[in-house]
Amino acid sequence: MPDTQVQLIASLKSEIEQLRKRCERAERSEQNFLTALRLSPMALCHHDTELRYTWLYNGHMGFVQDDVLGKTDWDILDKDLADRMGVIKRRVLETGIGERVEMPTVLGDPNCEYFDLVVEPLRDPESQAIIGLACSGIDVTDDRRRREAYRTNEENLRYIFSASPLPITVTRISDGDHLFYNDAANSLFQIEERNKSDFDTSLFSQFNFPQELCDKLAEGALIDSHRFEHVKEGQVFHLSLNARQIFYNSKAAILATFTDLTQQMQHNYRLEEARQKAERLAHTDVMTGLDNRRSLYQKCDEILKFLNRSTDHLCAVVIDIDYFKKINDTWGHNIGDHAIKLVGDLLKQSIRRTDIAARYGGEEFALILPNTDLHQAYKFAEKVRLRIEEMVIETENESIDLTASFGVATYNASMNEVGDLLNAADIALYSAKRAGRNCVKIAT
């Protein structure tokens, strides 16, 4: 056999062997494709230009459905879903441009399933005219739920970080630059404004932390409630720092939160003021500003603790505005209140620092006079009586003269408590009223 024929036969055998191998590879690829198709949850289909099914592989069931051939989406699906898919498929037929969209099975239902729909035009190989559609769909409900949950969590974290009333910063240790900061931190420390200027924005230089604290942070120690002051536009802020070292993008950094204690300290100050005010109100008559009955007894009890009965003098004066009921009934309670305030003001002006003046009842007042004997107390009461007698309240139609009756008593060996002293002065007061009012009587 000539060499040329041998060579030709050898060449043909080689080509046949290559063809056989290609066929085997194609067969294996086809088998692999069919195997993958059976394992895939994806639905695949072809439509003609009338949107009739010409082929449908149901990924959920794992086989080709022949019973839908010649039918449309409107024959086998919910009308609303078929309408929405039909809009997309017709648009692809018209434009020749494929589309991909994530579609809910039930519009407006947040709990419905979602699928990823891909629609591509099928073209004639020669004319390139559109002869149908190739579509695929896969259930993406779980993926969508995960994405929504992740997005929600991410948005919540971002919102929490940004909206947190606590200033938060992440600061690089190597140079002190702020890597992250929220709105509260920017507002308090003016970070962005300082970045635009020539100021050193370093965390450590800005707050002038002690070196010991900086060293602890660099060593990874937790800093808990380090208090310091920060001045912003002339205003002093009292802050508390909580910080620890973290690694951000493989770089050592400090995560810090700052608690503004300024309002808390101001609040505590206001609470203390309110407490003191409440304490004053609990012991003060609102109308006159004098001690009330409760305060009178408490202060007198303190005086009696240190009173030497044999050498110390203590007197009480009880005062009652004369004809007070008539003043109220004739000219009204406003005039009556005015009379009480006038007498209260006079008593405050008349007593010594060691004396006690109190509103004892409605129109009744009491004075406690330490280191004052009975004669001195009488003279003092008479002086006050004359001052009240000079008082005149002017109304629109007439003038009202004020007078008051006084009872004076001294603390003696027969008495055990302040109530005994005041009762004795009260009895003397009634003697003054029986004597015609506008006078001073001494307890016998």
Side-chain angles (χ1 to χ4, degrees):
M1 183 180 294
D3 292 340
T4 55
Q5 290 182 342
V6 173
Q7 292 176 354
L8 178 60
I9 291 172
S11 176
L12 289 173
K13 286 182 179 180
S14 176
E15 290 180 7
I16 292 171
E17 180 62 22
Q18 291 178 7
L19 182 60
R20 184 185 65 80
K21 290 180 178 180
R22 284 198 296 270
C23 290
E24 288 178 353
R25 286 197 297 270
E27 185 177 354
R28 284 196 301 269
S29 296
E30 183 180 2
Q31 291 298 325
N32 291 337
F33 172 74
L34 292 175
T35 300
L37 193 60
R38 283 194 297 270
L39 296 175
S40 172
M42 185 180 295
L44 304 171
C45 72
H46 287 176
H47 291 293
D48 61 20
T49 55
E50 298 300 323
L51 299 183
R52 292 186 292 259
Y53 283 95
T54 58
W55 179 75
L56 171 63
Y57 175 80
N58 193 321
H60 290 289
M61 301 181 181
F63 59 83
V64 175
Q65 283 187 257
D66 295 330
D67 58 339
V68 299
L69 300 182
K71 294 182 179 180
T72 67
D73 288 334
W74 288 270
D75 297 321
I76 62 175
L77 299 175
D78 176 78
K79 182 178 183 302
D80 175 71
L81 178 58
D83 286 342
R84 288 184 283 118
M85 292 174 62
V87 170
I88 297 171
K89 292 176 180 179
R90 288 194 181 98
R91 189 162 58 236
V92 174
L93 285 174
E94 292 174 0
T95 63
I97 300 173
E99 294 190 22
R100 180 176 183 176
V101 62
E102 190 172 276
M103 296 194 69
T105 54
V106 181
L107 197 63
D109 182 1
N111 297 317
C112 74
E113 296 181 340
Y114 284 80
F115 64 96
D116 187 45
L117 174 65
V118 179
V119 182
E120 293 288 346
L122 286 175
R123 298 180 182 274
D124 181 271
E126 296 182 1
S127 67
Q128 292 298 304
I130 296 176
I131 58 175
L133 297 174
C135 305
S136 68
I138 187 169
D139 188 345
V140 293
T141 305
D142 291 342
D143 180 63
R144 181 182 178 89
R145 297 284 189 268
R146 284 192 294 271
R147 282 186 281 116
E148 288 176 345
Y150 177 80
R151 186 183 305 112
T152 300
N153 290 337
E154 186 179 26
E155 290 174 353
N156 287 342
L157 287 174
R158 186 182 297 113
Y159 174 77
I160 291 171
F161 180 81
S162 177
S164 171
L166 290 178
I168 303 172
T169 63
V170 177
T171 309
R172 192 162 49 214
I173 291 180
S174 61
D175 55 12
D177 282 349
H178 298 292
L179 303 177
F180 286 103
Y181 49 86
N182 65 354
D183 293 341
N186 184 48
S187 174
L188 181 60
F189 303 131
Q190 300 173 299
I191 297 173
E192 293 179 358
E193 183 176 335
R194 293 174 69 91
N195 285 340
K196 296 176 182 178
S197 66
D198 294 331
F199 287 111
D200 184 355
T201 60
S202 166
L203 175 74
F204 304 113
S205 66
Q206 184 175 350
F207 303 138
N208 196 27
F209 289 147
Q211 188 59 43
E212 180 183 0
L213 183 143
C214 298
D215 293 341
K216 286 183 177 180
L217 283 173
E219 293 168 2
L222 175 66
I223 302 301
D224 184 26
S225 301
H226 171 73
R227 294 194 175 191
F228 66 102
E229 292 183 355
H230 169 66
V231 180
K232 172 190 173 184
E233 298 174 350
Q235 181 180 356
V236 178
F237 290 85
H238 301 273
L239 304 178
S240 174
L241 167 71
N242 291 277
R244 68 177 305 161
Q245 185 181 136
I246 62 172
F247 284 91
Y248 180 82
N249 288 341
S250 302
K251 301 293 183 182
I254 299 300
L255 170 64
T257 62
F258 302 84
T259 304
D260 186 356
L261 303 177
T262 307
Q263 290 186 355
Q264 178 182 332
M265 294 176 67
Q266 292 173 349
H267 179 65
N268 291 342
Y269 177 75
R270 289 193 294 269
L271 282 179
E272 179 60 23
E273 280 190 327
R275 188 196 65 78
Q276 293 179 4
K277 182 178 180 181
E279 185 73 15
R280 289 194 300 271
L281 289 175
H283 294 82
T284 305
D285 175 64
V286 177
M287 183 179 295
T288 62
L290 300 176
D291 287 310
N292 59 20
R293 189 186 187 96
R294 174 187 176 189
S295 177
L296 172 68
Y297 275 81
Q298 288 180 346
K299 289 183 176 181
C300 286
D301 287 341
E302 290 298 315
I303 292 175
L304 292 181
K305 288 180 183 178
F306 303 99
L307 183 72
N308 187 325
R309 289 174 179 264
S310 60
T311 59
D312 295 341
H313 297 285
L314 179 66
C315 286
V317 179
V318 177
I319 307 163
D320 188 86
I321 300 175
D322 294 332
Y323 303 108
F324 185 76
K325 185 176 184 304
K326 179 181 178 181
I327 294 174
N328 270 341
D329 293 343
T330 305
W331 291 284
H333 289 280
N334 288 339
I335 297 299
D337 290 347
H338 184 50
I340 290 174
K341 291 177 183 177
L342 286 176
V343 174
D345 289 342
L346 172 62
L347 295 181
K348 282 189 287 187
Q349 296 167 10
S350 302
I351 61 173
R352 301 166 299 181
R353 185 177 59 84
T354 56
D355 298 335
I356 303 171
R359 187 180 177 192
Y360 195 51
E363 72 276 16
E364 229 175 359
F365 300 86
L367 301 175
I368 301 297
L369 308 175
N371 302 315
T372 305
D373 61 26
L374 193 58
H375 177 68
Q376 292 170 326
Y378 176 84
K379 288 179 63 178
F380 177 75
E382 181 64 20
K383 178 182 177 182
V384 173
R385 185 192 69 79
L386 292 173
R387 292 284 303 278
I388 294 175
E389 191 178 44
E390 295 172 356
M391 290 181 178
V392 177
I393 299 176
E394 300 291 345
T395 67
E396 293 182 1
N397 301 319
E398 55 189 310
S399 299
I400 304 169
D401 296 324
L402 290 183
T403 61
S405 300
F406 291 71
V408 182
T410 187
Y411 196 74
N412 56 48
S414 65
M415 299 177 180
N416 296 314
E417 59 184 16
V418 65
D420 298 334
L421 176 62
L422 291 170
N423 286 337
D426 214 28
I427 293 172
L429 168 66
Y430 282 102
S431 296
K433 285 184 174 292
R434 286 193 298 270
R437 294 181 170 81
N438 191 24
C439 62
V440 180
K441 292 295 181 180
I442 297 176
T444 57

